[in-house]
Amino acid sequence: MRDRSASTGGKYSTPLGRAHSLAAGWDVELGHREETKTSLDKDGVPQFADSGDNLTADTRRVAVFVQDEWDISAQWSGYAGVRWE
């Protein structure tokens, strides 16, 4: 079995007004998995030339967002925005 993955994400923020900021960002994740199962005899030798189950899977996840972040008080903050995946 072999799993490989890579991911990246980032966020840009700029002041929008008193206690508000405009934020925009992204998340990207890529994955690849390979798995091979082989049916073996009790001697440890494959039963058939092409025995076993082979699996290959690729995954991709992409998301972008834009939001308004604001400081309500010293203890509270909030945000509202949109996200596409």
Side-chain angles (χ1 to χ4, degrees):
M1 177 171 59
R2 177 186 294 183
D3 284 318
R4 290 180 286 170
S5 65
S7 64
T8 183
K11 177 179 160 181
Y12 172 77
S13 182
T14 186
L16 190 61
R18 185 171 172 230
H20 286 264
S21 295
L22 175 66
W26 74 92
D27 294 311
V28 176
E29 183 178 322
L30 306 171
H32 181 77
R33 179 179 184 135
E34 295 177 8
E35 186 173 317
T36 303
K37 293 181 181 177
T38 305
S39 298
L40 302 176
D41 281 334
K42 49 186 156 180
D43 302 340
V45 178
Q47 289 179 338
F48 312 101
D50 291 328
S51 68
D53 296 327
N54 296 325
L55 168 72
T56 301
D58 291 307
T59 59
R60 290 172 296 281
R61 186 179 67 82
V62 177
V64 293
F65 64 90
V66 176
Q67 63 192 30
D68 177 13
E69 300 176 342
W70 69 95
D71 295 323
I72 300 167
S73 70
Q75 293 84 18
W76 291 91
S77 63
Y79 60 90
V82 293
R83 180 179 177 98
W84 176 86
E85 288 196 34

